[in-house]
Amino acid sequence: PLEGMDEPSQPLTEPDLPAKPERLRKALTLLEPRQKLLLELIYWEGLGPEEAARVIGVKPSSIGQLLTRARAALREHLSAPS
């Protein structure tokens, strides 16, 4: 973990995830490309924050805020009526 960085404050939980994978795929396509990439790197590829920062090309200290925004955007898209 990054020094001085808390664990993500709002991890994705069961209510955040749709019942159907198609809905998740659609919601991911609505994210900004960097947000989508960050979520894929951390949740699907299993990279840590420092590794994801290197891949995306940002400072490791900014990953926490970027991840919070990406999760919020995903939640918003998932909660919108289909």
Side-chain angles (χ1 to χ4, degrees):
L2 295 175
E3 296 269 334
M5 185 173 153
D6 294 332
E7 288 297 312
S9 60
Q10 299 174 327
L12 292 175
T13 60
E14 190 64 33
D16 297 324
L17 301 176
K20 298 183 179 185
E22 308 88 53
R23 189 161 178 212
L24 178 57
R25 278 193 287 275
K26 181 180 178 187
L28 286 168
T29 66
L30 299 172
L31 296 176
E32 294 176 15
R34 185 166 71 170
Q35 290 177 332
K36 180 179 183 246
L37 178 59
L38 179 59
L39 291 174
E40 289 173 344
L41 291 172
I42 289 182
Y43 292 105
W44 279 270
E45 300 297 325
L47 295 183
E50 290 179 356
E51 295 168 303
R54 271 193 298 270
V55 171
I56 293 175
V58 298
K59 293 180 181 182
S61 60
S62 65
I63 285 293
Q65 186 176 29
L66 292 173
L67 188 56
T68 296
R69 288 179 182 166
R71 285 192 304 249
L74 182 61
R75 270 190 209 96
E76 185 177 321
H77 293 303
L78 290 173
S79 66
S82 330

